[in-house]
Amino acid sequence: TITGVGPDTYDAALGSVATAVTAAAHTLQGVPLTLALSRPPGHHVSTDVFGGGCYLNNAAITAQWMRDHGADKVAIVDIDFHHGNGTQAIFYERGDVFYTSLHGHPDRCFPYFTGYADETGYGAGRGTTLNVPMPEGIEGPQYLARLESTLAATAAQRPDAVIVSLGFDT
């Protein structure tokens, strides 16, 4: 019910993806930091479903675009309060994109059925998914400690690029 479609939805979603891919192109051309203000990041969109206020998965499309254009390994760091079930589903069986998410625990937070700590990838993707579900009422210092360890795990993957799937509801 929160993912309504209007007459300009498709054009807006395509524009958002184009913004993210343009930033990725600059990154691959050597710009050390690029910023794409493309909302929403689309992390609830998988290959066969949209929802959660998301229409196209900007982060996943951009990661794939970067892979197609020379990046050997890409990381996606998702810090939205809600788990990025779509992004996880897209890359869960792949070893070329590392996905990590800090989010409210799925026992009590949307999307409820995914984002548990024991979901770490499958097959070639084993170990390339890191879920960090947060306890209820977490305070700033505890959150920052988890974020720091998540960023260290991301750096250990030695990605060519890091995409931040940024939600502002945390």
Side-chain angles (χ1 to χ4, degrees):
T1 59
I2 67 165
T3 316
V5 176
D8 298 319
T9 300
Y10 185 70
D11 289 340
L14 283 181
S16 189
V17 168
T19 300
V21 169
T22 298
H26 289 296
T27 298
L28 290 184
Q29 292 168 0
V31 176
L33 177 65
T34 59
L35 175 66
L37 298 176
S38 54
R39 292 286 301 148
H43 68 167
H44 295 304
V45 178
S46 66
T47 58
D48 60 353
V49 69
F50 74 97
C54 303
Y55 302 93
L56 296 174
N57 193 323
N58 297 335
I61 292 168
T62 302
Q64 185 60 55
W65 186 93
M66 294 183 93
R67 288 282 299 119
D68 292 344
H69 290 85
D72 289 327
K73 183 118 184 196
V74 177
I76 300 173
V77 177
D78 188 334
I79 59 171
D80 188 277
F81 179 77
H82 302 99
H83 180 252
N85 55 306
T87 306
Q88 177 175 297
I90 291 168
F91 297 113
Y92 201 66
E93 295 185 35
R94 292 176 50 177
D96 58 341
V97 176
F98 177 74
Y99 174 69
T100 183
S101 175
L102 288 87
H103 52 271
H105 201 285
D107 282 346
R108 66 178 192 292
C109 300
F110 178 85
Y112 304 109
F113 54 86
T114 185
Y116 291 91
D118 63 352
E119 297 169 16
T120 61
Y122 183 77
R126 186 169 307 283
T128 60
T129 297
L130 174 63
N131 284 306
V132 184
M134 299 290 171
E136 194 167 359
I138 190 169
E139 296 290 332
Q142 293 82 23
Y143 177 86
L144 292 175
R146 285 174 173 83
L147 177 61
E148 188 174 313
S149 67
T150 299
L151 295 177
T154 302
Q157 296 288 318
R158 304 182 57 79
D160 296 314
V162 176
I163 296 167
V164 178
S165 194
L166 179 63
F168 293 100
D169 50 2
T170 297

